[in-house]
Amino acid sequence: MLVRLAHETDLAGFRREARALLARRVPPDRVSWSAGPCNDDLFADEAAPEAEVPESGVTVPTGFLELCHTVALHSEPQRFALLYRLLWRLVHEPALRHDPLDADMMQARQMAQAVQRDMHKMHAFVRFRQVPDGAATDPLHVAWFEPDHHIVEANAPWFRRRFANMRWAILTPRAASNGTGASCTSAPARVARMRRRPMPARRCGSRTTRASSTRRG
Amino acid sequence: VDLQAKLAILADAAKYDASCASSGGVRRDSTQGRGLGSNEGTGICHSYAPDGRCISLLKILLTNYCRYDCLYCVNRASSNVPRARFGIDEVVRLTLDFYRRNCIEGLFLSSGIIRSPDYTMEQVVEVARRLREEHDFRGYIHLKTIPDAAPELLQRAGRYADRLSINIELPTEQGLAQLAPEKDVAAIRRSMARLRVHIDDAKEEAAQAQARPVVSLPQARPARARPASFAAAGQSTQMIVGADATDDATILSTSAQLYGAYRLKRVYYSAFSPIPDASAALPLKAPPLVREHRLYQADWLMRFYGFAADEIASPHAGGMLRLEVDPKLAWALAHPERFPVDLNRAPRELLLRVPGLGVKAVDRLLLARRVRRLRSDDLQRLHVPLRKVLPFVVLPDHRPARSSEPLRLAASPRVAQQAALF
């Protein structure tokens, strides 16, 4: 059975679908998950027409929900399958919640770690450069960053908190976040425009290295 | 001299200050303010100094002119380095500019002593004040304080800074008297004690404010001024290793005493590096950098693993840490009677003494063994160095060969050595 989620990091959709699947007692090896437009499994069946599912009252440890939030940002296509398998096992194997060394659990934790490392890299290596912005009095701060996972939106609030009163935009191959106003909008059109003009990532960094040499590591 | 050249001189002059952490302090951000900056425990990193240190702060001296003549210091009065001095506004502007580009987490500001300790300290505090009050800067600020400065100035510094530090400079009083005659151990320790009192008081006030119930009219928003914080990330110090003949045991006992008496957050060890045109009283050669590394490892053992200073390096055993093995392995090899340890039964204190097991690994093992018996593939999944751990532990499917393995570990240290060119 194929379950389709609205976008790459659609955790709310995953939770809704997973609850429904659990209520219908669909084991994890009979479900395949697809997030985003183009990575469908060729041999999967379409999902059965959705019936209204009563609240199943599944409870999981609070730590698991946090883990889901992070793992959902990973770029691994099987991430939702892993999460559903863990959820299934948490419901059916009560001992799992006390076992920090379980193989599935370890894998999920390692994926979460990779995501967190990537998020940290974004905090650590984004370097803004000032560009004049037409009539505006204060300059726009622009940065280019290439993340490994789907972390841009999750990281935007951190930049908004740090540079609350500054006009900035971070451009990435997949999305852009900007902190000009209170809200963060994805602006794919703008990214495309910036990418057509050559804007090497290196130059953003090298502008900032006069005081002490900065390098990616 | 233009700003660029000054920055080159004064950033280079600050490179001997090892402390560049930016963790701790009060969590804050700029969403409710008019300035910029936040402090949330994570942030930029990886701006490297030429010697390989990773620095996340704009680390500069206000000036490298100095009245003092401390022999180990590159900025001593009799040194012939090029000198420069920043104006207060220049430092403020530089800090904000670097911060806006996300190049720094904050400012580390130190200074050579000009005119008088009080005058210098005033200048340093003024930089922090302008950043905080005029520009509403909410990033991290670390100020190096001058022990001879007036207590009021120290107190003001603490209001603006996240961390304050006073260098103890050398591990022994005799060493300081010999190499830095103008500095005064008593004054240094007095200032550390004062800082500790201020930090403790501020913590106490914050705790009380938290505990007091809010009394308010119905409908009214309970608003109460937060008590002023004082160097919320605590104080630290720095010690130069290898400039005099002090052994590791003395260094570690000095650290233990500093941690205990003044509740320091960190003691930084800085391997003495021969400076250009050094005094004849100093050794010609730098101590091996690995010594600094071993001291940091020993420091961690004291702070997080329950080791006492004299367990790690005792004066009876030569007083030096072994350079070829880490201090924990060295301790384990010296105490074969305490091993092997049964991973399924041993208490936390004993697990922490097993070479190769860190604090996190130990806590995971403790959790896991509540639900089942641990086996050797559990260790594998924990990603601990098996070669190091297995000779010291017993598991249902593993028992170390009697005494031969640890000895082999000790006998064949794989020391990588760079080949000499000449």
Side-chain angles (χ1 to χ4, degrees):
Chain A
M1 162 190 312
L2 176 70
V3 178
R4 201 165 295 192
L5 299 178
H7 54 88
E8 294 279 12
T9 56
D10 185 14
L11 188 67
F14 168 76
R15 290 177 66 179
R16 193 176 55 240
E17 298 288 346
R19 258 192 228 116
L21 290 169
L22 270 184
R24 299 206 319 253
R25 295 180 187 279
V26 183
D29 51 350
R30 297 222 6 248
V31 193
S32 63
W33 296 83
S34 145
C38 60
N39 47 0
D40 285 5
D41 185 343
L42 191 60
F43 302 103
D45 306 329
E46 281 296 322
E50 256 184 66
E52 261 318 297
V53 185
E55 275 294 311
S56 53
V58 176
T59 56
V60 293
T62 42
F64 181 68
L65 203 56
E66 277 164 38
L67 189 70
C68 289
H69 274 285
T70 319
V71 172
L73 305 181
H74 203 279
S75 55
E76 158 69 51
Q78 293 303 314
R79 60 191 180 280
F80 289 112
L82 174 69
L83 289 181
Y84 183 61
R85 189 161 68 242
L86 271 171
L87 181 64
W88 175 268
R89 291 186 53 207
L90 275 172
V91 172
H92 293 92
E93 301 170 34
L96 178 62
R97 62 181 65 197
H98 301 294
D99 186 356
L101 296 179
D102 176 78
D104 277 346
M105 217 39 140
M106 295 287 282
Q107 198 199 342
R109 214 178 291 120
Q110 270 156 23
M111 284 166 72
Q113 230 165 28
V115 169
Q116 253 140 15
R117 191 180 311 116
D118 204 30
M119 293 178 82
H120 166 68
K121 296 254 182 225
M122 186 167 167
H123 295 158
F125 296 122
V126 158
R127 302 282 185 263
F128 290 106
R129 57 187 295 201
Q130 296 186 356
V131 290
D133 186 24
T137 44
D138 46 341
L140 181 65
H141 290 74
V142 182
W144 173 254
F145 186 72
E146 298 175 20
D148 293 334
H149 304 291
H150 309 284
I151 55 164
V152 176
E153 268 172 53
N155 256 0
W158 186 88
F159 285 96
R160 266 207 307 275
R161 287 195 298 274
R162 174 159 287 197
F163 301 109
N165 300 300
M166 194 170 97
R167 299 176 59 234
W168 56 269
I170 299 171
L171 310 175
T172 72
R174 286 182 220 167
S177 63
N178 64 62
T180 46
S183 69
C184 165
T185 52
S186 280
R190 189 171 186 187
V191 183
R193 204 182 69 219
M194 295 300 285
R195 282 177 73 201
R196 236 175 284 133
R197 252 186 290 156
M199 183 178 172
R202 290 284 156 69
R203 260 182 76 200
C204 308
S206 63
R207 274 278 300 255
T208 66
T209 56
R210 299 228 175 101
S212 54
S213 63
T214 311
R215 66 182 180 225
R216 302 187 143 231
Chain B
V1 194
D2 75 329
L3 196 61
Q4 204 77 45
K6 277 196 213 174
L7 187 58
I9 293 172
L10 293 170
D12 187 67
K15 74 182 175 195
Y16 297 97
D17 275 305
S19 52
C20 44
S22 58
S23 52
V26 183
R27 285 179 74 89
R28 56 178 181 257
D29 59 52
S30 50
T31 44
Q32 305 296 320
R34 60 196 161 80
L36 81 164
S38 65
N39 185 30
E40 311 184 25
T42 64
I44 84 111
C45 84
H46 293 200
S47 299
Y48 290 96
D51 64 352
R53 287 182 208 276
C54 163
I55 304 158
S56 59
L57 301 173
L58 172 63
K59 194 156 68 155
I60 47 175
L61 299 191
L62 198 55
T63 172
N64 63 345
Y65 290 102
C66 192
R67 288 176 27 189
Y68 288 2
D69 201 37
C70 311
L71 295 187
Y72 50 80
C73 179
V74 70
N75 299 317
R76 67 189 189 280
S78 58
S79 160
N80 58 0
V81 289
R83 309 277 177 172
R85 180 179 173 183
F86 276 131
I88 292 173
D89 275 325
E90 283 174 327
V91 178
V92 170
R93 216 166 47 235
L94 276 174
T95 308
L96 293 174
D97 186 48
F98 277 117
Y99 201 93
R100 273 194 204 104
R101 287 188 276 157
N102 204 33
C103 292
I104 54 169
E105 271 300 287
L107 173 68
F108 172 103
L109 189 62
S110 178
S111 180
I113 315 279
I114 40 171
R115 286 197 223 171
S116 70
D118 278 354
Y119 174 77
T120 314
M121 196 65 217
E122 254 168 43
Q123 301 273 304
V124 169
V125 172
E126 179 62 14
V127 171
R129 190 197 67 77
R130 279 190 207 174
L131 274 172
R132 290 281 196 241
E133 290 185 353
E134 289 176 13
H135 298 274
D136 195 18
F137 174 70
R138 304 194 178 181
Y140 189 89
I141 296 181
H142 178 154
L143 297 181
K144 186 124 279 184
T145 50
I146 298 158
D148 308 320
E152 302 83 61
L153 285 168
L154 288 190
Q155 196 165 3
R156 279 180 56 205
R159 292 288 168 220
Y160 302 121
D162 288 285
R163 174 168 284 184
L164 295 175
S165 58
I166 302 173
N167 284 359
I168 188 98
E169 308 291 12
L170 290 160
T172 61
E173 209 168 318
Q174 300 87 315
L176 198 68
Q178 199 186 348
L179 296 180
E182 285 111 329
K183 294 210 171 175
D184 174 11
V185 180
I188 292 173
R189 291 186 174 256
R190 228 176 9 248
S191 295
M192 282 184 174
R194 261 188 216 121
L195 285 188
R196 181 191 161 171
V197 170
H198 289 315
I199 293 169
D200 286 355
D201 284 353
K203 287 233 169 84
E204 179 87 355
E205 263 175 52
Q208 277 177 4
Q210 202 84 57
R212 230 179 297 146
V214 178
V215 183
S216 61
L217 296 169
Q219 310 291 317
R221 228 175 85 236
R224 191 176 51 203
R226 224 189 315 169
S229 66
F230 187 94
Q235 59 168 330
S236 64
T237 193
Q238 173 170 331
M239 207 188 282
I240 299 163
V241 174
D244 58 357
T246 317
D247 61 7
D248 293 342
T250 316
I251 292 174
L252 288 177
S253 76
T254 303
S255 302
Q257 201 255 336
L258 290 172
Y259 281 128
Y262 309 114
R263 232 179 271 172
L264 297 189
K265 286 286 182 213
R266 285 287 297 274
V267 173
Y268 287 93
Y269 306 96
S270 160
F272 162 72
S273 55
I275 47 178
D277 303 314
S279 144
L282 289 176
L284 287 172
K285 250 180 64 182
L289 266 183
V290 69
R291 184 177 171 200
E292 184 186 303
H293 178 57
R294 294 291 178 233
L295 279 170
Y296 275 117
Q297 288 179 318
D299 189 274
W300 250 252
L301 290 183
M302 294 197 296
R303 287 189 297 146
F304 303 111
Y305 290 79
F307 280 80
D310 57 348
E311 280 183 293
I312 307 170
S314 82
H316 311 298
M320 296 301 275
L321 295 172
R322 288 173 61 177
L323 295 184
E324 72 283 3
V325 292
D326 67 77
K328 200 174 173 191
L329 183 57
W331 182 86
L333 291 172
H335 295 83
E337 76 282 359
R338 306 285 287 270
F339 295 97
V341 166
D342 185 346
L343 282 191
N344 280 299
R345 286 168 193 279
R348 186 167 188 274
E349 302 80 63
L350 205 52
L351 291 183
L352 281 174
R353 301 219 161 198
V354 175
L357 290 188
V359 176
K360 271 188 190 160
V362 165
D363 289 340
R364 290 245 168 98
L365 288 173
L366 286 172
L367 274 179
R369 79 182 192 188
R370 281 164 56 185
V371 283
R372 61 194 167 78
R373 280 170 76 73
L374 299 171
R375 306 181 70 83
S376 51
D377 51 339
D378 288 323
L379 281 184
Q380 205 145 22
R381 256 176 280 156
L382 261 184
H383 295 298
V384 293
L386 290 179
R387 237 183 97 252
K388 215 169 184 180
V389 178
L390 284 179
F392 296 99
V393 298
V394 174
L395 288 155
D397 57 345
H398 165 82
R399 179 162 282 279
R402 189 160 287 276
S403 76
S404 64
E405 189 77 1
L407 288 179
R408 200 174 54 74
L409 261 179
S412 64
R414 290 183 303 169
V415 184
Q417 204 152 31
Q418 190 166 7
L421 256 183
F422 301 105

